[in-house]
Amino acid sequence: MRYVVLGASAAGVNGVRQLRKQCPEAEIILVSKDSTVYSRCILHHYLGNMRTKEELCFAEEDFEDRYKVDWRKGVSCTALDDKEKKVILSDGTSISYDRLLIATGSHTLLPPVKGLLETEGVYGFHNLDEVESIKKRAGKAEHIVVMGGGLTGLDAAVGFLHLGKKADLVEMEGHLLAKQLDARSSKTYEEAMENEGIRLHLGVGIREVCSENGTITSLKLTDGSELACDMLVVTAGVRPNIDFLKSSGVECDQFGLVIDRYGQTSVPDIYGAGDVTGRSPIWPAAVKQGMVAAVNMAMDDAQEGRRAAMDDAQEGGRAAMNDSQEDRRATMDDFFASKSTMNFLDIPTMSLGIPERPDHSYEVVLEDRDGIYRKVIHKNGKIYGAILQGDLSYGGVLTQLIASKIDVSKVKKPLFEIDYSDFFHTKDNFEFYYEEA
């Protein structure tokens, strides 16, 4: 059996690990444009000289030998022939496969702003090569601007701080981290960043990139103002790397690669995981999706049609066989929930659940006192979203309430006073279980 994995980031690397665990003797080929394994989540640490290149790596030093993987480095997949079951690579070669895992990730989206694409001095912030170029230019740059106030934009701004540079940050939404936080919790970050010298421009966008002799000089904003700029870092979004699938029969939609709850695509023997799906672009989800897909890729033949189940998938992220459940496969249902943790300037914040814009039918429970902010949005007993700031001690309980789909309307306590004893019980063998009232 030959397994081919496209992409050497969170989903791909963990897919390889899980495939080798499931299939000790199988042939595994890893294909990646990158020649090293590194975490995109901490690229700002490299920008700010907080980590070396080697310290960005999340794989074992002997990764290739340990997992007996044939790693084709420095090449990308340019086309997929799903009928002949082979991938065509950028160096002109092709590789046949029995089963394929597409974990090609995503790339920086450069929005359609006048002058943006053709101007020198504009950078993405999504891979190591981009950050290398940013570091080289930043030393001489006097007016650095970050476009985008999401997680990556904040990371980039913090990286420049550690580099001894102060940046302007432009965000179209009215507050930072609009996908994760509300205006109240975001304000804490905004004040902290401004105190560190980062200049925020909220509720405005970039209308035009101005240049002289092809090099960026300033930005015209949507409010009519102009901002000096000799280096622009774009963190306004990403797009999945799916262009190579255009001539194949693999289904994609407006988000990216389409996969089912088991990681399988529309074509048999082809699976997908991670940012290439365009859904839930966070590291833990990519890791778990890669593992789930690998379990199911390996399971079909190795276990004669038996399908894997996940043990504590949402919390532990461990893909494991459950021999007592022959008709189930690993599922990604819980992996698409937005779940992120952020720490900036020692501000503990946790955002749980899919961001909601609640209407009058939703109930909101708030607590805002002594530097502690807690907010939970629920409807018909189901929690849809939560924010904790200043004190994360309730995070474990909230995570269990969401993961176990517990109807909080049946727990006769104020929401922030619920503890584990209200929904977990113990059997004679000390096993925990949940039983609805």
Side-chain angles (χ1 to χ4, degrees):
M1 178 68 72
R2 173 182 284 182
Y3 297 101
V4 174
V5 177
L6 304 179
S9 193
V13 167
N14 284 284
V16 167
R17 288 169 172 158
Q18 193 63 39
L19 280 170
R20 181 55 69 208
K21 179 180 178 181
Q22 302 291 131
C23 306
E25 303 304 322
E27 181 182 6
I28 302 176
I29 299 175
L30 176 63
V31 177
S32 74
K33 187 177 180 180
D34 293 314
S35 57
T36 59
V37 174
Y38 62 91
S39 171
R40 285 176 170 81
C41 300
I42 52 175
L43 280 173
H44 61 293
H45 286 190
Y46 179 61
L47 171 63
N49 294 324
M50 293 174 275
R51 292 177 189 250
T52 64
K53 284 185 185 178
E54 292 73 24
E55 290 171 334
L56 296 179
C57 181
F58 63 90
E60 301 86 343
E61 288 185 11
D62 60 347
F63 173 76
E64 292 173 80
D65 293 334
R66 177 178 298 196
Y67 297 101
K68 295 182 288 184
V69 58
D70 177 6
W71 188 358
R72 311 289 176 88
K73 302 178 181 179
V75 291
S76 57
C77 183
T78 57
L80 168 64
D81 187 337
D82 53 296
K83 293 182 175 61
E84 296 295 325
K85 300 185 77 168
K86 64 180 180 180
V87 293
I88 292 83
L89 305 183
S90 56
D91 62 2
T93 63
S94 63
I95 303 174
S96 61
Y97 63 85
D98 293 305
R99 293 210 171 89
L100 175 68
L101 174 57
I102 300 173
T104 47
S106 57
H107 61 274
T108 298
L109 169 67
L110 294 178
V113 172
K114 183 179 179 181
L116 184 67
L117 297 177
E118 60 269 27
T119 302
E120 193 269 335
V122 178
Y123 302 89
F125 198 84
H126 195 61
N127 60 51
L128 188 56
D129 290 341
E130 290 173 329
V131 177
E132 287 274 25
S133 299
I134 289 170
K135 287 189 72 168
K136 290 178 182 178
R137 189 181 183 94
K140 296 181 180 180
E142 295 181 3
H143 304 288
I144 299 171
V145 178
V146 176
M147 180 182 184
L151 287 169
T152 305
L154 266 66
D155 283 344
V158 171
F160 284 122
L161 281 180
H162 284 275
L163 201 60
K165 297 284 184 174
K166 294 181 180 180
D168 287 78
L169 189 150
V170 179
E171 167 56 44
M172 290 190 68
E173 295 287 345
H175 64 272
L176 298 178
L177 299 169
K179 290 184 178 180
Q180 290 84 14
L181 304 179
D182 60 9
R184 162 62 183 82
S185 52
S186 175
K187 186 66 175 176
T188 306
Y189 284 84
E190 293 164 11
E191 292 174 352
M193 295 187 78
E194 288 174 331
N195 288 339
E196 293 294 322
I198 297 172
R199 297 170 291 272
L200 302 179
H201 307 265
L202 303 177
V204 295
I206 297 174
R207 190 180 70 208
E208 182 180 351
V209 175
C210 303
S211 62
E212 291 182 6
N213 300 319
T215 300
I216 189 169
T217 56
S218 65
L219 305 171
K220 291 184 178 179
L221 304 184
T222 55
D223 63 358
S225 62
E226 190 164 350
L227 188 62
C229 176
D230 53 14
M231 184 167 79
L232 175 63
V233 177
V234 179
T235 69
V238 296
R239 284 293 180 267
N241 294 321
I242 55 175
D243 284 351
F244 71 97
L245 297 173
K246 287 181 179 178
S247 60
S248 75
V250 177
E251 181 185 1
C252 297
D253 62 12
Q254 70 270 31
F255 300 107
L257 178 67
V258 175
I259 58 175
D260 65 15
R261 62 201 298 250
Y262 313 116
Q264 191 159 2
T265 69
S266 59
V267 176
D269 297 326
I270 299 179
Y271 292 73
D275 285 5
V276 71
T277 67
R279 298 165 173 86
S280 191
I282 56 173
W283 188 271
V287 170
K288 296 170 186 178
Q289 289 170 16
M291 295 168 72
V292 170
V295 169
N296 290 321
M297 288 170 70
M299 209 59 60
D300 291 342
D301 285 345
Q303 298 295 325
E304 299 180 355
R306 294 174 59 193
R307 296 176 175 182
M310 289 290 286
D311 291 340
D312 298 324
Q314 189 172 14
E315 286 74 41
R318 295 177 291 105
M321 284 291 297
N322 185 336
D323 291 336
S324 65
Q325 302 184 52
E326 299 185 3
D327 296 323
R328 296 178 58 197
R329 299 174 70 183
T331 174
M332 296 195 182
D333 284 356
D334 293 328
F335 300 160
F336 292 128
S338 170
K339 182 177 180 181
S340 57
T341 328
M342 297 158 285
N343 288 291
F344 169 69
L345 301 179
D346 297 323
I347 304 169
T349 303
M350 176 178 286
S351 175
L352 294 167
I354 300 172
E356 292 285 336
R357 296 187 182 276
D359 55 35
H360 66 276
S361 65
Y362 289 79
E363 294 185 56
V364 178
V365 180
L366 280 172
E367 182 180 73
D368 190 355
R369 58 176 177 80
D370 302 326
I372 296 173
Y373 179 66
R374 304 197 291 186
K375 177 180 182 179
V376 173
I377 300 171
H378 63 97
K379 181 178 180 179
N380 298 327
K382 179 182 178 182
I383 296 177
Y384 282 83
I387 296 172
L388 302 178
Q389 189 171 73
D391 180 2
L392 306 186
S393 61
Y394 194 56
V397 172
L398 266 177
T399 300
Q400 289 293 339
L401 291 173
I402 295 171
S404 301
K405 298 180 174 61
I406 292 169
D407 185 347
V408 293
S409 68
K410 295 183 178 181
V411 181
K412 305 306 178 184
K413 267 186 178 182
L415 190 54
F416 290 129
E417 294 181 16
I418 296 174
D419 59 38
Y420 292 106
S421 65
D422 293 310
F423 53 89
F424 278 138
H425 308 283
T426 310
K427 295 181 180 179
D428 292 339
N429 63 355
F430 301 106
E431 178 183 343
F432 289 106
Y433 71 99
Y434 167 66
E435 180 177 67
E436 287 194 14

